[in-house]
Amino acid sequence: MTAPLVEVADLSRRFDVSPPWVTRVLQRRPRRILRALDGVNFTIAPQRTLGLVGESGCGKSTLARCLAGLMPPSSGEMRYEGRPIDLASRRDPRARRAIQMIFQDPYASLNPRWTVAQSVGDPLLAFGLAQSRAEMRAQVAELLVAAGLNPDDGAKYPHQFSGGQRQRIAVARALASRPAFLICDEPTSALDVSVQAAVLNLMRRLQRDHGLTYLFISHNLTVIEHMADEVGVMYLGHLVELQAKSALFVAPKHPYTRLLIETVPSLDTLGRASAPLKGEVPSPLDPPTGCAFHPRCPHANARCRRERPLPTPLPGGGSVACHAIAEGRL
Amino acid sequence: MIKPNLEMDPKPYVVATSSYLRLSAPELAQQGKEVMPAPLLELRDLTVRLGNAAGAAVLDGLTFQLAPGEVLGIVGESGAGKSVTGAAILRLLTSPLCQTSGEIRFEGARIDNLAEAQMQRLRGGAIAMVFQDPLTALNPVFTIGQQLVQTIRQHLPMSAAQARGRAVQLLREVGIPSAEERLTSYPHEFSGGMRQRVVIALALAGEPRLIVADEPTTALDVSIQAQIIALLVTLSRNRGMGVILITHDMGVIAEAADRVAVLYAGQLAELGPVAEVLRHPHHPYAQGLIAAIPKIGAGLDMLPQIRGTMPRIDALPPGCPFHPRCDRVMPICRTERPEPMPRSGGTLAACWLEESA
Ligand SMILES: Nc1ncnc2c1ncn2[C@@H]1O[C@H](COP(=O)(O)OP(=O)(O)OP(=O)(O)O)[C@@H](O)[C@H]1O
Ligand SMILES: Nc1ncnc2c1ncn2[C@@H]1O[C@H](COP(=O)(O)OP(=O)(O)O)[C@@H](O)[C@H]1O
Ligand code: SF4
Ligand code: SF4
Ligand SMILES: [Mg+2]
Ligand SMILES: [Mg+2]
């Protein structure tokens, strides 16, 4: 067993979404805390891909931002190569270089007023990876080519590119600091299938060539199935299931995962709209008691409504947080 | 096929190929072709150019119809002209884009030459649009409730209290939890997916008969995506509401659409019943597009890619616009542009290839 590259322990993030204090005092409204992320644990082995899926608003992007150092977690820790990373300070030098993030909207990481070469070259300067202008130019050209772009594209601005090309530019920029761990938050969700195929192929090739480790977030289960080695399923701030991809898609354990896999829109569901998962997504402001999934779960019982299930290891590896499975009811 | 909605104006028309368009109903009946009620929406030879009649064509000769209660999917890669099609229907083309020829009819009457005041009444009312970017449709300084109530009252005669009740109902319909409480939330307080659901609720506020939905579920997770698609399909069936569903997710098309139009570089590459186009695509571009979709259990290392990229619309090659990327290109493809021609399975494909057996 290789030592994990990334270890995340008990990571939580709360948001204070209380009304302004005047309103609270005058209307006697309580303070409101939104638990976007609640005690998340996982590890990722080097050069592997952990895919993360889950309901909109379940905390995927919050997790990504915390790990990328863009937002401090409320509690919990992350270890990188066995050593703790200071997630609260945006300046942890080791993390800043080794951990990079790719967003759904590439504009989020590209300055529209910078040329592509400036955007891609900026991390080279910031980390002192290029000693001369000529060296920087050469490295930028190399990065652009690695991302499937033309070296001449460096002179252009982001708005002169298509969405797929902009995502390639964002990939080139993310790779500039020679990271080992890439956090990809819905990297192809805004792209057309033909362009998505090119970007996913690119990411896979780069992973192989540079030995990259990915945390790959997507709401699209078919994309996760294509990219991931392990898959984590999130629900309302909790990681409810974690399994090897091969196991998860063949034998999903958690009732939520089962329903998710049943509702994947695919070319085979032609002519019969899949029965959508019933019920509302509970508000993270007011999560259900016990197991957060119980109002939508066909296997819920009194214990589920009362007691929150904790992640329990599965015999074949991975974990699942469900009373029915722990009790052998499912 | 599409089920005719009998409550609608029974003006005869045909959902078929462009060559049938010029035939009258009795002539068609003679030929044994299906006669349908009036189309809800009809595009005839719609052409949109950059600047003026001499500018590059962003949309070139697009012809299709939409029946009441029908869902027509529009797919194609980014820049193919999907959003421009949607914007042209709503007359929301912004300079330098302009419609230079062709016509758009809604419930039989031309709408592409309506006065702006009349068009404004249609927009958000009888014809609604769900935009690709939820932030463009939502005003950051007003609460969700204020925006919903305002839109509802703009198009329906309701008191503020009634509109508020309707707003809660709409938010529930699109799957917003704690709908009542959420009325006082601002757009930025929602996650990306929830924001898009609010946008769909806004679109439904004016009780539309046609919804043009541009990437409506792109930002949503699968379980809610399925709910929203099911909701759009149900609304479409129950109210005879036509839906133009612009998406890059072929899985969504497979589940929701009755027919699908594949656009390439502003031109129609293939149009047909969804089962036919997905299972037996005729056009090499449509074939490539369908092959590029990841499929669960496929176990592919690399996904099949279409080589090259779509040309810029102001630098289209002569002949078939797809020819520089096509593996089956023939000499004629480089010089002559193929028109959409009928194929087996009720499909139209703009390609010089003969139908393979
Ligand atoms: N700055 C913030 N202030 C208050 N609440 C927030 C903030 N950022 C996120 N949230 C809330 O935290 C929860 C998790 O949000 P997050 O963006 O991580 O969801 P997500 O899983 O990425 O969703 P999506 O699939 O829609 O992108 C949501 O309920 C969201 O409304
Ligand atoms: N406002 C505009 N000005 C100039 N060109 C535009 C404008 N809007 C769209 N285009 C061009 O029209 C073509 C079709 O765009 P669009 O309909 O947005 O594509 P998509 O199929 O991705 O929705 C593209 O080449 C695009 O660059
Ligand atoms: S713990 Fe209970 S409610 Fe939760 S998923 Fe398991 S069976 Fe369903
Ligand atoms: S017309 Fe020719 S180039 Fe165009 S898609 Fe058909 S075979 Fe390919
Ligand atoms: Mg997100
Ligand atoms: Mg578009």
Side-chain angles (χ1 to χ4, degrees), chain A residues 32 55-56 189 191-192 201 204 208 219 225 270 274 277 279 281, chain B residues 77-78 177 181 191 218 220-221 223 227 248 255 279 297 301 303 305:
Chain A
R32 304 214 66 179
E55 211 93 34
S56 162
S189 296
L191 305 179
D192 292 299
N201 287 347
R204 171 137 305 164
R208 223 163 266 164
H219 66 271
E225 201 267 353
L270 207 72
S274 60
L277 186 50
V281 189
Chain B
E77 62 199 90
S78 132
E181 199 172 325
S191 72
T218 305
L220 305 185
D221 57 282
S223 87
Q227 286 182 351
H248 65 255
E255 281 196 353
R279 293 212 179 110
D301 181 34
L303 294 165
Q305 252 175 269

PDB file of all heavy atoms in Angstrom, chain A residues 32 55-56 189 191-192 201 204 208 219 225 270 274 277 279 281, chain B residues 77-78 177 181 191 218 220-221 223 227 248 255 279 297 301 303 305:
ATOM      1  N   ARG A  32     -28.203  32.013  12.428  1.00  0.00           N
ATOM      2  CA  ARG A  32     -28.335  30.821  11.586  1.00  0.00           C
ATOM      3  C   ARG A  32     -26.975  30.415  11.034  1.00  0.00           C
ATOM      4  O   ARG A  32     -26.259  31.233  10.478  1.00  0.00           O
ATOM      5  CB  ARG A  32     -29.294  31.095  10.430  1.00  0.00           C
ATOM      6  CG  ARG A  32     -30.653  31.579  10.908  1.00  0.00           C
ATOM      7  CD  ARG A  32     -31.748  31.082  10.015  1.00  0.00           C
ATOM      8  NE  ARG A  32     -31.878  29.634  10.095  1.00  0.00           N
ATOM      9  CZ  ARG A  32     -32.791  28.960   9.402  1.00  0.00           C
ATOM     10  NH1 ARG A  32     -33.590  29.573   8.573  1.00  0.00           N
ATOM     11  NH2 ARG A  32     -32.875  27.659   9.518  1.00  0.00           N
ATOM     12  N   GLU A  55     -25.406  16.158  -4.891  1.00  0.00           N
ATOM     13  CA  GLU A  55     -26.470  17.126  -5.131  1.00  0.00           C
ATOM     14  C   GLU A  55     -25.929  18.553  -5.158  1.00  0.00           C
ATOM     15  O   GLU A  55     -25.005  18.877  -4.424  1.00  0.00           O
ATOM     16  CB  GLU A  55     -27.436  16.995  -3.959  1.00  0.00           C
ATOM     17  CG  GLU A  55     -28.857  17.288  -4.262  1.00  0.00           C
ATOM     18  CD  GLU A  55     -29.605  16.019  -4.623  1.00  0.00           C
ATOM     19  OE1 GLU A  55     -29.307  14.954  -4.083  1.00  0.00           O
ATOM     20  OE2 GLU A  55     -30.494  16.117  -5.451  1.00  0.00           O
ATOM     21  N   SER A  56     -26.561  19.381  -5.934  1.00  0.00           N
ATOM     22  CA  SER A  56     -26.194  20.790  -5.973  1.00  0.00           C
ATOM     23  C   SER A  56     -26.298  21.391  -4.572  1.00  0.00           C
ATOM     24  O   SER A  56     -27.279  21.177  -3.870  1.00  0.00           O
ATOM     25  CB  SER A  56     -27.155  21.487  -6.925  1.00  0.00           C
ATOM     26  OG  SER A  56     -27.127  22.856  -6.714  1.00  0.00           O
ATOM     27  N   SER A 189     -17.960  20.979 -17.179  1.00  0.00           N
ATOM     28  CA  SER A 189     -19.413  21.099 -17.118  1.00  0.00           C
ATOM     29  C   SER A 189     -19.947  22.173 -18.055  1.00  0.00           C
ATOM     30  O   SER A 189     -21.109  22.139 -18.440  1.00  0.00           O
ATOM     31  CB  SER A 189     -19.856  21.401 -15.694  1.00  0.00           C
ATOM     32  OG  SER A 189     -19.513  20.315 -14.883  1.00  0.00           O
ATOM     33  N   LEU A 191     -18.722  22.746 -21.021  1.00  0.00           N
ATOM     34  CA  LEU A 191     -18.226  22.478 -22.376  1.00  0.00           C
ATOM     35  C   LEU A 191     -19.127  21.522 -23.137  1.00  0.00           C
ATOM     36  O   LEU A 191     -19.825  20.705 -22.556  1.00  0.00           O
ATOM     37  CB  LEU A 191     -16.818  21.879 -22.292  1.00  0.00           C
ATOM     38  CG  LEU A 191     -15.790  22.691 -21.501  1.00  0.00           C
ATOM     39  CD1 LEU A 191     -14.461  21.963 -21.485  1.00  0.00           C
ATOM     40  CD2 LEU A 191     -15.636  24.084 -22.085  1.00  0.00           C
ATOM     41  N   ASP A 192     -19.078  21.624 -24.453  1.00  0.00           N
ATOM     42  CA  ASP A 192     -19.819  20.699 -25.296  1.00  0.00           C
ATOM     43  C   ASP A 192     -19.133  19.338 -25.321  1.00  0.00           C
ATOM     44  O   ASP A 192     -17.933  19.245 -25.103  1.00  0.00           O
ATOM     45  CB  ASP A 192     -19.909  21.256 -26.711  1.00  0.00           C
ATOM     46  CG  ASP A 192     -20.780  22.490 -26.757  1.00  0.00           C
ATOM     47  OD1 ASP A 192     -21.960  22.364 -26.417  1.00  0.00           O
ATOM     48  OD2 ASP A 192     -20.281  23.559 -27.099  1.00  0.00           O
ATOM     49  N   ASN A 201      -9.514  13.899 -22.320  1.00  0.00           N
ATOM     50  CA  ASN A 201      -8.356  13.165 -22.845  1.00  0.00           C
ATOM     51  C   ASN A 201      -7.062  13.871 -22.468  1.00  0.00           C
ATOM     52  O   ASN A 201      -6.079  13.235 -22.083  1.00  0.00           O
ATOM     53  CB  ASN A 201      -8.453  13.014 -24.363  1.00  0.00           C
ATOM     54  CG  ASN A 201      -9.516  11.988 -24.774  1.00  0.00           C
ATOM     55  OD1 ASN A 201     -10.005  11.228 -23.950  1.00  0.00           O
ATOM     56  ND2 ASN A 201      -9.870  11.978 -26.045  1.00  0.00           N
ATOM     57  N   ARG A 204      -6.262  13.302 -18.825  1.00  0.00           N
ATOM     58  CA  ARG A 204      -5.771  11.948 -18.603  1.00  0.00           C
ATOM     59  C   ARG A 204      -4.318  11.805 -19.064  1.00  0.00           C
ATOM     60  O   ARG A 204      -3.492  11.195 -18.393  1.00  0.00           O
ATOM     61  CB  ARG A 204      -6.701  10.996 -19.359  1.00  0.00           C
ATOM     62  CG  ARG A 204      -6.227   9.651 -19.395  1.00  0.00           C
ATOM     63  CD  ARG A 204      -7.197   8.537 -19.170  1.00  0.00           C
ATOM     64  NE  ARG A 204      -8.010   8.482 -17.988  1.00  0.00           N
ATOM     65  CZ  ARG A 204      -9.074   7.686 -17.916  1.00  0.00           C
ATOM     66  NH1 ARG A 204      -9.440   6.977 -18.963  1.00  0.00           N
ATOM     67  NH2 ARG A 204      -9.774   7.618 -16.814  1.00  0.00           N
ATOM     68  N   ARG A 208      -0.839  11.100 -16.746  1.00  0.00           N
ATOM     69  CA  ARG A 208       0.139  10.050 -17.019  1.00  0.00           C
ATOM     70  C   ARG A 208       1.552  10.639 -17.174  1.00  0.00           C
ATOM     71  O   ARG A 208       2.497  10.170 -16.581  1.00  0.00           O
ATOM     72  CB  ARG A 208      -0.263   9.359 -18.318  1.00  0.00           C
ATOM     73  CG  ARG A 208      -0.149   7.878 -18.232  1.00  0.00           C
ATOM     74  CD  ARG A 208      -0.925   7.236 -19.339  1.00  0.00           C
ATOM     75  NE  ARG A 208      -2.272   6.885 -18.940  1.00  0.00           N
ATOM     76  CZ  ARG A 208      -3.235   6.586 -19.795  1.00  0.00           C
ATOM     77  NH1 ARG A 208      -3.013   6.655 -21.097  1.00  0.00           N
ATOM     78  NH2 ARG A 208      -4.412   6.234 -19.373  1.00  0.00           N
ATOM     79  N   HIS A 219     -20.906  16.933 -11.467  1.00  0.00           N
ATOM     80  CA  HIS A 219     -22.256  16.471 -11.168  1.00  0.00           C
ATOM     81  C   HIS A 219     -22.649  15.390 -12.171  1.00  0.00           C
ATOM     82  O   HIS A 219     -23.701  14.800 -12.064  1.00  0.00           O
ATOM     83  CB  HIS A 219     -23.235  17.642 -11.240  1.00  0.00           C
ATOM     84  CG  HIS A 219     -23.377  18.185 -12.623  1.00  0.00           C
ATOM     85  ND1 HIS A 219     -22.558  19.173 -13.110  1.00  0.00           N
ATOM     86  CD2 HIS A 219     -24.210  17.841 -13.623  1.00  0.00           C
ATOM     87  CE1 HIS A 219     -22.897  19.426 -14.362  1.00  0.00           C
ATOM     88  NE2 HIS A 219     -23.893  18.635 -14.701  1.00  0.00           N
ATOM     89  N   GLU A 225     -17.454   8.426 -13.913  1.00  0.00           N
ATOM     90  CA  GLU A 225     -17.173   7.020 -14.173  1.00  0.00           C
ATOM     91  C   GLU A 225     -16.003   6.888 -15.135  1.00  0.00           C
ATOM     92  O   GLU A 225     -15.179   5.979 -15.028  1.00  0.00           O
ATOM     93  CB  GLU A 225     -18.422   6.335 -14.754  1.00  0.00           C
ATOM     94  CG  GLU A 225     -18.446   4.825 -14.608  1.00  0.00           C
ATOM     95  CD  GLU A 225     -17.885   4.090 -15.806  1.00  0.00           C
ATOM     96  OE1 GLU A 225     -17.586   4.724 -16.843  1.00  0.00           O
ATOM     97  OE2 GLU A 225     -17.726   2.868 -15.711  1.00  0.00           O
ATOM     98  N   LEU A 270     -33.361   6.221 -23.636  1.00  0.00           N
ATOM     99  CA  LEU A 270     -34.148   6.719 -24.736  1.00  0.00           C
ATOM    100  C   LEU A 270     -35.625   6.348 -24.621  1.00  0.00           C
ATOM    101  O   LEU A 270     -35.953   5.201 -24.379  1.00  0.00           O
ATOM    102  CB  LEU A 270     -33.599   6.068 -26.000  1.00  0.00           C
ATOM    103  CG  LEU A 270     -33.760   6.804 -27.289  1.00  0.00           C
ATOM    104  CD1 LEU A 270     -32.836   7.987 -27.315  1.00  0.00           C
ATOM    105  CD2 LEU A 270     -33.435   5.876 -28.412  1.00  0.00           C
ATOM    106  N   SER A 274     -36.279   8.676 -17.068  1.00  0.00           N
ATOM    107  CA  SER A 274     -36.028   7.936 -15.844  1.00  0.00           C
ATOM    108  C   SER A 274     -36.838   8.566 -14.717  1.00  0.00           C
ATOM    109  O   SER A 274     -37.046   9.770 -14.687  1.00  0.00           O
ATOM    110  CB  SER A 274     -34.544   7.982 -15.502  1.00  0.00           C
ATOM    111  OG  SER A 274     -34.147   9.318 -15.325  1.00  0.00           O
ATOM    112  N   LEU A 277     -35.576  11.183  -8.877  1.00  0.00           N
ATOM    113  CA  LEU A 277     -35.474  11.018  -7.435  1.00  0.00           C
ATOM    114  C   LEU A 277     -36.506  11.915  -6.773  1.00  0.00           C
ATOM    115  O   LEU A 277     -36.546  13.107  -7.026  1.00  0.00           O
ATOM    116  CB  LEU A 277     -34.058  11.416  -7.019  1.00  0.00           C
ATOM    117  CG  LEU A 277     -33.617  11.227  -5.588  1.00  0.00           C
ATOM    118  CD1 LEU A 277     -33.937   9.831  -5.115  1.00  0.00           C
ATOM    119  CD2 LEU A 277     -32.135  11.486  -5.503  1.00  0.00           C
ATOM    120  N   GLY A 279     -38.794  13.997  -3.994  1.00  0.00           N
ATOM    121  CA  GLY A 279     -38.558  14.845  -2.834  1.00  0.00           C
ATOM    122  C   GLY A 279     -37.661  16.019  -3.106  1.00  0.00           C
ATOM    123  O   GLY A 279     -36.943  16.068  -4.090  1.00  0.00           O
ATOM    124  N   VAL A 281     -34.606  18.668  -2.243  1.00  0.00           N
ATOM    125  CA  VAL A 281     -33.305  18.654  -1.601  1.00  0.00           C
ATOM    126  C   VAL A 281     -33.495  19.408  -0.296  1.00  0.00           C
ATOM    127  O   VAL A 281     -33.945  20.535  -0.311  1.00  0.00           O
ATOM    128  CB  VAL A 281     -32.270  19.416  -2.443  1.00  0.00           C
ATOM    129  CG1 VAL A 281     -30.891  19.193  -1.877  1.00  0.00           C
ATOM    130  CG2 VAL A 281     -32.359  19.005  -3.886  1.00  0.00           C
TER     131      VAL A 281
ATOM    132  N   GLU B  77     -21.590  21.881 -31.117  1.00  0.00           N
ATOM    133  CA  GLU B  77     -20.567  22.384 -30.200  1.00  0.00           C
ATOM    134  C   GLU B  77     -20.646  23.886 -30.039  1.00  0.00           C
ATOM    135  O   GLU B  77     -21.365  24.571 -30.753  1.00  0.00           O
ATOM    136  CB  GLU B  77     -19.178  21.889 -30.564  1.00  0.00           C
ATOM    137  CG  GLU B  77     -18.639  22.283 -31.884  1.00  0.00           C
ATOM    138  CD  GLU B  77     -17.499  21.341 -32.275  1.00  0.00           C
ATOM    139  OE1 GLU B  77     -17.756  20.313 -32.919  1.00  0.00           O
ATOM    140  OE2 GLU B  77     -16.362  21.644 -31.936  1.00  0.00           O
ATOM    141  N   SER B  78     -19.911  24.355 -29.052  1.00  0.00           N
ATOM    142  CA  SER B  78     -19.963  25.767 -28.714  1.00  0.00           C
ATOM    143  C   SER B  78     -19.627  26.613 -29.933  1.00  0.00           C
ATOM    144  O   SER B  78     -18.682  26.326 -30.659  1.00  0.00           O
ATOM    145  CB  SER B  78     -19.009  25.985 -27.542  1.00  0.00           C
ATOM    146  OG  SER B  78     -18.186  27.062 -27.765  1.00  0.00           O
ATOM    147  N   PRO B 177     -35.805  23.946  -1.695  1.00  0.00           N
ATOM    148  CA  PRO B 177     -36.264  23.626  -0.345  1.00  0.00           C
ATOM    149  C   PRO B 177     -36.604  24.890   0.457  1.00  0.00           C
ATOM    150  O   PRO B 177     -36.094  25.967   0.149  1.00  0.00           O
ATOM    151  CB  PRO B 177     -35.077  22.891   0.269  1.00  0.00           C
ATOM    152  CG  PRO B 177     -33.895  23.312  -0.533  1.00  0.00           C
ATOM    153  CD  PRO B 177     -34.380  23.709  -1.885  1.00  0.00           C
ATOM    154  N   GLU B 181     -39.349  30.440   2.952  1.00  0.00           N
ATOM    155  CA  GLU B 181     -38.269  31.135   3.630  1.00  0.00           C
ATOM    156  C   GLU B 181     -37.275  31.714   2.619  1.00  0.00           C
ATOM    157  O   GLU B 181     -36.703  32.773   2.838  1.00  0.00           O
ATOM    158  CB  GLU B 181     -37.574  30.115   4.530  1.00  0.00           C
ATOM    159  CG  GLU B 181     -36.758  30.710   5.618  1.00  0.00           C
ATOM    160  CD  GLU B 181     -36.274  29.612   6.555  1.00  0.00           C
ATOM    161  OE1 GLU B 181     -37.038  28.628   6.763  1.00  0.00           O
ATOM    162  OE2 GLU B 181     -35.165  29.716   7.058  1.00  0.00           O
ATOM    163  N   SER B 191     -26.519  28.232  -4.195  1.00  0.00           N
ATOM    164  CA  SER B 191     -25.449  27.587  -4.943  1.00  0.00           C
ATOM    165  C   SER B 191     -25.803  27.686  -6.424  1.00  0.00           C
ATOM    166  O   SER B 191     -26.938  27.981  -6.782  1.00  0.00           O
ATOM    167  CB  SER B 191     -25.304  26.129  -4.517  1.00  0.00           C
ATOM    168  OG  SER B 191     -26.387  25.368  -5.000  1.00  0.00           O
ATOM    169  N   THR B 218     -27.383  22.426 -17.264  1.00  0.00           N
ATOM    170  CA  THR B 218     -25.934  22.228 -17.300  1.00  0.00           C
ATOM    171  C   THR B 218     -25.310  22.319 -15.916  1.00  0.00           C
ATOM    172  O   THR B 218     -24.395  21.575 -15.597  1.00  0.00           O
ATOM    173  CB  THR B 218     -25.298  23.248 -18.247  1.00  0.00           C
ATOM    174  OG1 THR B 218     -25.941  23.111 -19.515  1.00  0.00           O
ATOM    175  CG2 THR B 218     -23.826  23.007 -18.426  1.00  0.00           C
ATOM    176  N   LEU B 220     -26.782  21.703 -13.061  1.00  0.00           N
ATOM    177  CA  LEU B 220     -27.490  20.932 -12.034  1.00  0.00           C
ATOM    178  C   LEU B 220     -26.912  19.536 -11.878  1.00  0.00           C
ATOM    179  O   LEU B 220     -26.417  18.949 -12.818  1.00  0.00           O
ATOM    180  CB  LEU B 220     -28.972  20.823 -12.401  1.00  0.00           C
ATOM    181  CG  LEU B 220     -29.721  22.130 -12.646  1.00  0.00           C
ATOM    182  CD1 LEU B 220     -31.186  21.848 -12.871  1.00  0.00           C
ATOM    183  CD2 LEU B 220     -29.530  23.081 -11.491  1.00  0.00           C
ATOM    184  N   ASP B 221     -27.018  19.008 -10.655  1.00  0.00           N
ATOM    185  CA  ASP B 221     -26.595  17.642 -10.422  1.00  0.00           C
ATOM    186  C   ASP B 221     -27.630  16.695 -10.999  1.00  0.00           C
ATOM    187  O   ASP B 221     -28.754  17.081 -11.291  1.00  0.00           O
ATOM    188  CB  ASP B 221     -26.486  17.412  -8.923  1.00  0.00           C
ATOM    189  CG  ASP B 221     -27.785  17.708  -8.278  1.00  0.00           C
ATOM    190  OD1 ASP B 221     -28.080  18.898  -8.090  1.00  0.00           O
ATOM    191  OD2 ASP B 221     -28.536  16.769  -8.004  1.00  0.00           O
ATOM    192  N   SER B 223     -29.616  14.208 -10.028  1.00  0.00           N
ATOM    193  CA  SER B 223     -30.956  13.879  -9.536  1.00  0.00           C
ATOM    194  C   SER B 223     -31.906  15.042  -9.798  1.00  0.00           C
ATOM    195  O   SER B 223     -33.055  14.842 -10.178  1.00  0.00           O
ATOM    196  CB  SER B 223     -30.920  13.493  -8.056  1.00  0.00           C
ATOM    197  OG  SER B 223     -31.022  14.623  -7.232  1.00  0.00           O
ATOM    198  N   GLN B 227     -35.166  15.694 -12.433  1.00  0.00           N
ATOM    199  CA  GLN B 227     -36.437  16.297 -12.013  1.00  0.00           C
ATOM    200  C   GLN B 227     -36.821  17.459 -12.914  1.00  0.00           C
ATOM    201  O   GLN B 227     -37.978  17.586 -13.322  1.00  0.00           O
ATOM    202  CB  GLN B 227     -36.333  16.813 -10.573  1.00  0.00           C
ATOM    203  CG  GLN B 227     -36.332  15.730  -9.519  1.00  0.00           C
ATOM    204  CD  GLN B 227     -36.278  16.308  -8.109  1.00  0.00           C
ATOM    205  OE1 GLN B 227     -36.074  17.498  -7.921  1.00  0.00           O
ATOM    206  NE2 GLN B 227     -36.452  15.451  -7.127  1.00  0.00           N
ATOM    207  N   HIS B 248     -25.776  20.656 -24.378  1.00  0.00           N
ATOM    208  CA  HIS B 248     -24.705  19.849 -24.942  1.00  0.00           C
ATOM    209  C   HIS B 248     -24.734  18.443 -24.343  1.00  0.00           C
ATOM    210  O   HIS B 248     -23.880  17.643 -24.635  1.00  0.00           O
ATOM    211  CB  HIS B 248     -23.342  20.533 -24.760  1.00  0.00           C
ATOM    212  CG  HIS B 248     -22.927  20.666 -23.325  1.00  0.00           C
ATOM    213  ND1 HIS B 248     -22.969  21.862 -22.656  1.00  0.00           N
ATOM    214  CD2 HIS B 248     -22.480  19.757 -22.449  1.00  0.00           C
ATOM    215  CE1 HIS B 248     -22.559  21.670 -21.418  1.00  0.00           C
ATOM    216  NE2 HIS B 248     -22.259  20.411 -21.263  1.00  0.00           N
ATOM    217  N   GLU B 255     -33.516  11.629 -23.113  1.00  0.00           N
ATOM    218  CA  GLU B 255     -34.655  11.442 -22.227  1.00  0.00           C
ATOM    219  C   GLU B 255     -35.818  12.356 -22.539  1.00  0.00           C
ATOM    220  O   GLU B 255     -36.969  11.973 -22.386  1.00  0.00           O
ATOM    221  CB  GLU B 255     -34.224  11.710 -20.783  1.00  0.00           C
ATOM    222  CG  GLU B 255     -33.489  10.564 -20.194  1.00  0.00           C
ATOM    223  CD  GLU B 255     -33.409  10.681 -18.690  1.00  0.00           C
ATOM    224  OE1 GLU B 255     -33.818  11.717 -18.149  1.00  0.00           O
ATOM    225  OE2 GLU B 255     -32.948   9.721 -18.077  1.00  0.00           O
ATOM    226  N   ARG B 279     -29.380   6.629 -32.412  1.00  0.00           N
ATOM    227  CA  ARG B 279     -28.998   5.243 -32.704  1.00  0.00           C
ATOM    228  C   ARG B 279     -28.362   5.094 -34.074  1.00  0.00           C
ATOM    229  O   ARG B 279     -27.448   4.314 -34.254  1.00  0.00           O
ATOM    230  CB  ARG B 279     -30.228   4.335 -32.605  1.00  0.00           C
ATOM    231  CG  ARG B 279     -30.748   4.246 -31.187  1.00  0.00           C
ATOM    232  CD  ARG B 279     -31.367   2.886 -30.907  1.00  0.00           C
ATOM    233  NE  ARG B 279     -31.831   2.862 -29.519  1.00  0.00           N
ATOM    234  CZ  ARG B 279     -33.120   2.863 -29.178  1.00  0.00           C
ATOM    235  NH1 ARG B 279     -34.056   2.848 -30.112  1.00  0.00           N
ATOM    236  NH2 ARG B 279     -33.465   2.843 -27.920  1.00  0.00           N
ATOM    237  N   GLY B 297     -19.555   2.169 -17.986  1.00  0.00           N
ATOM    238  CA  GLY B 297     -19.205   0.786 -18.269  1.00  0.00           C
ATOM    239  C   GLY B 297     -18.446   0.593 -19.559  1.00  0.00           C
ATOM    240  O   GLY B 297     -18.078  -0.524 -19.910  1.00  0.00           O
ATOM    241  N   ASP B 301     -10.082   4.111 -22.406  1.00  0.00           N
ATOM    242  CA  ASP B 301      -8.963   4.866 -21.868  1.00  0.00           C
ATOM    243  C   ASP B 301      -9.098   6.311 -22.346  1.00  0.00           C
ATOM    244  O   ASP B 301      -9.132   7.246 -21.547  1.00  0.00           O
ATOM    245  CB  ASP B 301      -7.665   4.243 -22.360  1.00  0.00           C
ATOM    246  CG  ASP B 301      -6.458   4.967 -21.814  1.00  0.00           C
ATOM    247  OD1 ASP B 301      -6.547   5.448 -20.666  1.00  0.00           O
ATOM    248  OD2 ASP B 301      -5.458   5.066 -22.534  1.00  0.00           O
ATOM    249  N   LEU B 303     -11.394   8.978 -24.897  1.00  0.00           N
ATOM    250  CA  LEU B 303     -12.680   9.115 -25.583  1.00  0.00           C
ATOM    251  C   LEU B 303     -12.433   9.414 -27.064  1.00  0.00           C
ATOM    252  O   LEU B 303     -11.485  10.122 -27.399  1.00  0.00           O
ATOM    253  CB  LEU B 303     -13.470  10.271 -24.973  1.00  0.00           C
ATOM    254  CG  LEU B 303     -13.921  10.082 -23.529  1.00  0.00           C
ATOM    255  CD1 LEU B 303     -14.365  11.408 -22.934  1.00  0.00           C
ATOM    256  CD2 LEU B 303     -15.051   9.070 -23.473  1.00  0.00           C
ATOM    257  N   GLN B 305     -12.395  11.376 -30.247  1.00  0.00           N
ATOM    258  CA  GLN B 305     -12.434  12.824 -30.426  1.00  0.00           C
ATOM    259  C   GLN B 305     -12.660  13.124 -31.897  1.00  0.00           C
ATOM    260  O   GLN B 305     -12.186  12.385 -32.756  1.00  0.00           O
ATOM    261  CB  GLN B 305     -11.063  13.389 -30.067  1.00  0.00           C
ATOM    262  CG  GLN B 305     -10.975  14.163 -28.789  1.00  0.00           C
ATOM    263  CD  GLN B 305      -9.550  14.566 -28.494  1.00  0.00           C
ATOM    264  OE1 GLN B 305      -8.830  13.849 -27.826  1.00  0.00           O
ATOM    265  NE2 GLN B 305      -9.138  15.706 -29.013  1.00  0.00           N
TER     266      GLN B 305
END
